[in-house]
Amino acid sequence: MKKIILLIIFFTTVFAGINEPGGEISGKVVDKNTKLPLIGVNVYVNNKNVGTTTDVDGKYNIKNLPVGDYEIIISYLGYKKQIKSNVIVRSGRVTYLNVEMAEESIKMDQVVVSAGYFTELEEKPVSAINFSNEEIRRAPGAAGDISRILTSLPSLAKVNDQKNSMVVRGGSPVENTFILDNIEIPNINHFPVQGSSGGGLALINVDFIEELTFNAGGFGAAYGDKLSSVMELKFREGDKNKFYPQFNFSMMGFGFSAEGPIVKDKVSFLAAVNKSYTDLILSSVNAGGAVPNYSDFQGKLTWDINKRHKISLIDIFANDKIDLERKKVLKEEENTYGKTNSITNVAGINWRFLWGKKGYSNTSVAHNFIEYDWDYNFTQDDNLFLKNKTREETISFRNVNYFNFSKKFQMEFGLEAKYLSNKFDFHYGATVNEFGNLIPETKIKDNLEAVKAASFLNFTLKAGKYLTIKPGVRADYFDYTDELVVDPRIGLALQVSETVKINMAAGVYHQNIPMNILVQNEAFKDLKTPVAFHFVAGFTKMLSPQTKLTVEVYEKKYQDFPVDPTQPKSFLFDETTSNTFSRAHNELKDNGEAYARGVEMTIQKKMASGFYGLISASYSKTRYKDVNGDWHDRIYDNELMFALEGGYKPNNSWEFSAKWLYGGGIPYTPFDLVQSAKLRKGIYDTNKINSERLPAYHSLNLRVDKRFNFANSNLVVYLDVWNVYGRENIAGYVWNEISNEVKKVKQWSTMPILGVEWEL
């Protein structure tokens, strides 16, 4: 009712201002390799037959456009034409569209189809996909959550609606990295899982994202210390001429954001504050369990010093709380109760320097910390389960340089360094684990300081007209383990025709064991660094200018993983997914092995003629070898996955979209019913480790967007309904220690999410 009243207030406030709403498109066009402005580029609004050219600074401006959805064509002699679809013009606002153009290197006698809609990823040979701001904002079943937006991709396992953990090609959430404006973000979620990239709900404000690029494997040497994936995020810049406020109401909570100039044409800012009301939503659908309460702030300040120098500062802060009272937990029959209070902050500065016609560099310095304050007890007997009062702090440096020797030879090189200062304070209560072993009370209190350093070098060699070779090498040193690792990598791209390209990549990838595990025993610093070997091959086929087919096969081989002899059937890197925390380990070996292999298919259609969509399918297998040498399926081995996502815009006011996901049932280990009942603890049947599977997962999400454009403001109202047909998807089975029996854990049922975005 409150939401309806708010909408009525909005309408009565702004309807008086209706008067031929319109806006404009502005931006800057630069060379992709040098970031220098391009003069005289043709920028054409396809739908309106109007256009302009860029000035001496590479800037352009198209005014007096009616509100609506446009297709922008950017062309320049000697460069690859680009087509930007789904560019939204809003009333009283400037839509900024910045473009990086790559030089045209291939001229074929018979031109069949132009790839102008998909030019963003041509420097990444394999396993990469790109999303624009509007594609991110409107994704059904996501409610502005970046990780959930990616669930349509064939490389991501369909694991659990209630967890925001990205499982990429068999790799656990420990194995992912995030780069925002050349600054590494340890975790992009509220309620971060220690030592992992997983969490509860997304933290990043999607309205700030200009572009998102996700790479699921075979990535270059510029990225290290992670085994599975890289997500690159780019925040847009605030408006340098006018102040714009915005109010938001969605599943992410309610918030206020603003942008505008600090010094006109020189210094601009973006800023947003958000507060959750997820507790009200989850209570309304009887979701049960822990109800999150969180708030956050994030912002960016950009200073264009001159044509060659630009400084940007970012800050992302989050405060997350959960309070599970014992009285409530007893009623809901949960095994543990307690409190969570975590604080996260990342602050960094990036300096971009244009060398001239030969290249440019990005250099960043950042500081981040995460404070964990967990205090949980067993519901059954009030004994201690876990206390964690840890502060992890990192000061990081990252320098990336791009140098152009010629059109056929480019180089990328750089340095990274991190200073880690961690104050660990764990207290694990005595318990019996899932294998029936008595785990004694464990206390870990230690200050750990360490330094990581890395250097990398990539080359891009264009051998003839059609073959591109991208060799690279990376070296990482970690002083805590006193180990230096060197990772060679290579990528190949063969342009068979104007519409078909064959891509391959291979490489070595090392990742240090998380610090919260290394600190548990002095002997752990002698463990080998886990390593993965990536092999990826595939092809892309342009089915039309707006539609691209991608097929890839891959294999990842894991070696030197830590395993716990007291838990011989488990794979340690998976425990943060199954438990949302790392256990106490008194002894570890480094002979763990695993593999992931599969085939993936994606058909992506950019917005054209009102339609857009994505179809993906994959078959994969991911397994690990236990201490005894036996092989088991890993806990997120969906095997078969399928996704269908798309939408239709009949006009500038309405948009309808849908997403249907299917994932084969993931493995689980059944309980030994007799032993579990005897000990009032869930004890696995060790003869059936991951031998049974949950029912298949599938869910339909529908979304409707309605735009209202007034003379000086814009209103977007959307309804996003998750799991429309109420599929009872099972997240897993736990042993209910209160009733002393197996309990089925259900994923979210039908959940309607109403969202409002009001731009003033």
Side-chain angles (χ1 to χ4, degrees):
M1 180 60 68
K2 290 182 180 179
K3 295 175 184 175
I4 296 174
I5 294 172
L6 282 172
L7 288 177
I8 293 172
I9 294 172
F10 290 164
F11 290 138
T12 55
T13 302
V14 298
F15 256 119
I18 299 177
N19 182 21
E20 296 183 1
E24 56 188 279
I25 300 175
S26 290
K28 188 174 183 179
V29 183
V30 300
D31 183 287
K32 189 177 187 68
N33 292 325
T34 66
K35 298 298 187 285
L36 290 174
L38 296 177
I39 305 169
V41 177
N42 296 306
V43 182
Y44 179 72
V45 183
N46 194 30
N47 317 57
K48 284 292 179 181
N49 296 321
V50 297
T52 187
T53 58
T54 57
D55 62 18
V56 293
D57 295 320
K59 296 179 180 180
Y60 70 93
N61 179 257
I62 304 173
K63 296 183 178 181
N64 302 318
L65 287 170
V67 296
D69 190 325
Y70 293 96
E71 184 175 272
I72 310 300
I73 300 174
I74 305 98
S75 61
Y76 193 49
L77 184 63
Y79 286 77
K80 297 177 183 178
K81 182 175 71 173
Q82 291 195 36
I83 304 173
K84 300 292 186 180
S85 62
N86 207 197
V87 179
I88 307 297
V89 171
R90 300 157 298 166
S91 181
R93 287 230 174 186
V94 179
T95 297
Y96 287 93
L97 178 64
N98 297 314
V99 179
E100 296 181 354
M101 301 193 75
E103 289 186 286
E104 184 72 68
S105 58
I106 299 174
K107 293 291 184 181
M108 296 191 171
D109 295 333
Q110 294 183 346
V111 177
V112 180
V113 173
S114 171
Y117 286 83
F118 295 93
T119 56
E120 300 94 341
L121 299 174
E122 293 185 357
E123 78 281 5
K124 301 179 186 297
V126 297
S127 307
I129 193 166
N130 176 277
F131 295 96
S132 67
N133 173 269
E134 183 63 15
E135 289 172 322
I136 295 168
R137 187 203 65 79
R138 71 186 181 208
D145 190 317
I146 297 175
S147 300
R148 298 178 195 275
I149 289 166
L150 300 179
T151 55
S152 297
L153 301 183
S155 52
L156 267 71
K158 315 304 186 259
V159 182
N160 192 328
D161 291 340
Q162 297 155 332
K163 294 181 181 178
N164 214 10
S165 300
M166 291 170 50
V167 175
V168 183
R169 288 182 174 174
S172 79
V174 176
E175 303 172 27
N176 307 315
T177 192
F178 309 96
I179 305 292
L180 171 60
D181 290 350
N182 198 46
I183 294 169
E184 183 176 350
I185 308 295
N187 198 305
I188 61 171
N189 296 303
H190 287 283
F191 305 97
V193 176
Q194 190 170 16
S196 169
S197 67
L201 296 163
L203 168 60
I204 303 296
N205 189 324
V206 296
D207 288 329
F208 287 4
I209 299 174
E210 182 174 82
E211 192 173 77
L212 181 157
T213 301
F214 179 70
N215 197 313
F219 42 90
Y223 310 102
D225 201 21
K226 287 293 184 271
L227 298 176
S228 283
S229 77
V230 176
M231 181 189 292
E232 292 181 272
L233 299 164
K234 182 179 180 181
F235 268 3
R236 62 185 178 86
E237 298 178 7
D239 195 287
K240 291 184 173 64
N241 297 291
K242 188 177 179 181
F243 176 78
Y244 293 111
Q246 177 173 325
F247 292 94
N248 299 285
F249 302 86
S250 71
M251 182 181 178
M252 297 305 296
F254 59 90
F256 172 78
S257 62
E259 63 179 287
I262 297 176
V263 177
K264 194 171 183 179
D265 293 326
K266 280 289 186 181
V267 184
S268 66
F269 77 94
L270 283 171
V273 291
N274 296 281
K275 181 71 176 69
S276 71
Y277 59 81
T278 316
D279 49 343
L280 302 178
I281 296 175
L282 295 182
S283 298
S284 68
V285 296
N286 297 317
V291 178
N293 187 343
Y294 58 87
S295 57
D296 63 65
F297 165 83
Q298 49 205 285
K300 177 176 181 177
L301 186 147
T302 306
W303 178 17
D304 286 315
I305 301 174
N306 54 43
K307 293 182 179 180
R308 300 182 67 182
H309 298 271
K310 177 182 287 190
I311 297 288
S312 60
L313 294 87
I314 65 167
D315 189 86
I316 299 174
F317 169 84
N319 187 7
D320 308 319
K321 298 180 180 181
I322 291 177
D323 188 358
L324 272 174
E325 299 178 355
R326 188 172 188 272
K327 181 179 179 180
K328 181 178 179 180
V329 166
L330 276 171
K331 182 179 179 181
E332 297 180 356
E333 296 188 340
E334 300 287 344
N335 290 339
T336 60
Y337 71 95
K339 295 182 179 181
T340 291
N341 188 2
S342 62
I343 297 176
T344 304
N345 193 78
V346 178
I349 181 171
N350 184 71
W351 166 43
R352 195 196 70 181
F353 170 54
L354 305 186
W355 301 348
K357 295 182 179 181
K358 289 298 183 181
Y360 67 98
S361 63
N362 278 306
T363 304
S364 66
V365 178
H367 171 266
N368 70 73
F369 71 85
I370 303 180
E371 289 185 349
Y372 301 93
D373 186 359
W374 303 344
D375 192 348
Y376 284 88
N377 292 67
F378 290 107
T379 308
Q380 181 186 183
D381 53 19
D382 274 343
N383 288 335
L384 175 67
F385 171 56
L386 170 65
K387 281 187 178 181
N388 180 7
K389 296 185 180 297
T390 294
R391 179 185 172 98
E392 297 182 354
E393 190 170 0
T394 304
I395 298 174
S396 61
F397 169 85
R398 177 175 168 85
N399 168 254
V400 185
N401 308 279
Y402 303 84
F403 190 81
N404 295 276
F405 292 97
S406 68
K407 291 183 179 181
K408 294 187 176 183
F409 184 29
Q410 292 90 40
M411 179 174 65
E412 178 188 33
F413 61 96
L415 300 169
E416 293 180 348
K418 294 180 182 178
Y419 171 70
L420 298 88
S421 178
N422 304 304
K423 297 180 179 181
F424 293 104
D425 188 354
F426 301 105
H427 187 181
Y428 295 89
T431 187
V432 174
N433 69 11
E434 292 92 337
F435 300 97
N437 301 320
L438 178 62
I439 306 300
E441 180 181 20
T442 304
K443 293 183 179 180
I444 301 166
K445 192 168 185 177
D446 194 5
N447 295 342
L448 190 153
E449 296 184 354
V451 173
K452 292 184 178 183
S455 62
F456 57 87
L457 178 64
N458 284 318
F459 292 103
T460 299
L461 310 172
K462 295 180 181 178
K465 292 183 178 181
Y466 312 121
L467 178 63
T468 301
I469 306 171
K470 298 180 73 69
V473 64
R474 182 183 179 92
D476 285 87
Y477 176 73
F478 187 22
D479 76 334
Y480 182 76
T481 59
D482 193 25
E483 185 173 10
L484 173 69
V485 295
V486 179
D487 294 345
R489 300 171 190 177
I490 189 169
L492 301 172
L494 177 63
Q495 192 78 41
V496 178
S497 70
E498 181 72 12
T499 61
V500 178
K501 183 187 288 186
I502 295 174
N503 307 295
M504 291 177 284
V508 181
Y509 299 80
H510 282 86
Q511 179 179 335
N512 297 123
I513 298 170
M515 299 292 287
N516 59 312
I517 296 175
L518 285 176
V519 73
Q520 296 183 18
N521 191 317
E522 183 72 15
F524 291 173
K525 64 172 57 178
D526 296 323
L527 296 171
K528 295 178 182 177
T529 302
V531 60
F533 302 91
H534 290 206
F535 307 92
V536 187
F539 73 92
T540 60
K541 164 71 175 176
M542 296 303 304
L543 304 178
S544 74
Q546 309 89 9
T547 309
K548 180 172 69 172
L549 166 68
T550 303
V551 177
E552 289 187 347
V553 295
Y554 68 89
E555 180 168 22
K556 284 198 297 188
K557 292 184 177 180
Y558 292 98
Q559 293 180 3
D560 303 333
F561 268 63
V563 291
D564 190 337
T566 66
Q567 302 172 24
K569 302 288 187 178
S570 297
F571 195 68
L572 187 144
F573 264 38
D574 292 347
E575 68 183 10
T576 58
T577 303
S578 56
N579 303 320
T580 67
F581 68 95
S582 295
R583 296 182 179 277
H585 300 279
N586 296 316
E587 180 184 358
L588 291 177
K589 296 183 178 180
D590 55 16
N591 59 347
E593 295 182 32
Y595 70 80
R597 58 176 66 111
V599 57
E600 300 174 351
M601 182 277 294
T602 304
I603 299 176
Q604 185 183 13
K605 182 184 185 301
K606 295 287 188 177
M607 169 73 81
S609 303
F611 290 95
Y612 59 90
L614 185 147
I615 301 172
S616 71
S618 67
Y619 179 80
S620 62
K621 197 67 186 172
T622 174
R623 311 196 81 203
Y624 71 93
K625 187 170 71 173
D626 67 19
V627 172
N628 301 321
D630 298 324
W631 286 87
H632 308 281
D633 293 336
R634 289 180 75 174
I635 58 174
Y636 22 68
D637 180 43
N638 284 117
E639 293 189 328
L640 181 64
M641 294 185 289
F642 181 82
L644 177 63
E645 180 178 343
Y648 174 58
K649 293 189 71 171
N651 52 50
N652 292 324
S653 297
W654 291 93
E655 181 171 355
F656 305 90
S657 57
K659 173 167 37 177
W660 187 74
L661 300 175
Y662 173 88
I666 59 175
Y668 76 95
T669 302
F671 293 111
D672 182 326
L673 299 180
V674 174
Q675 192 72 358
S676 297
K678 179 180 178 181
L679 297 176
R680 297 191 73 90
K681 290 279 185 180
I683 308 300
Y684 289 153
D685 185 339
T686 55
N687 295 316
K688 298 180 179 180
I689 297 295
N690 289 352
S691 62
E692 297 189 12
R693 288 183 175 266
L694 299 176
Y697 172 97
H698 54 88
S699 176
L700 174 65
N701 306 299
L702 298 178
R703 176 169 170 145
V704 179
D705 287 64
K706 170 63 176 173
R707 287 183 177 271
F708 300 89
N709 299 109
F710 310 107
N712 295 298
S713 64
N714 304 276
L715 182 68
V716 179
V717 180
Y718 66 84
L719 177 64
D720 198 351
V721 184
W722 297 10
N723 195 2
V724 172
Y725 51 78
R727 164 73 174 179
E728 186 181 272
N729 290 305
I730 307 301
Y733 300 99
V734 299
W735 189 265
N736 187 327
E737 297 175 7
I738 309 302
S739 60
N740 205 26
E741 62 184 357
V742 175
K743 178 182 178 181
K744 182 190 299 183
V745 180
K746 299 179 183 179
Q747 302 199 45
W748 286 340
S749 185
T750 303
M751 182 183 295
I753 305 296
L754 178 67
V756 178
E757 300 170 3
W758 187 24
E759 299 175 338
L760 298 176

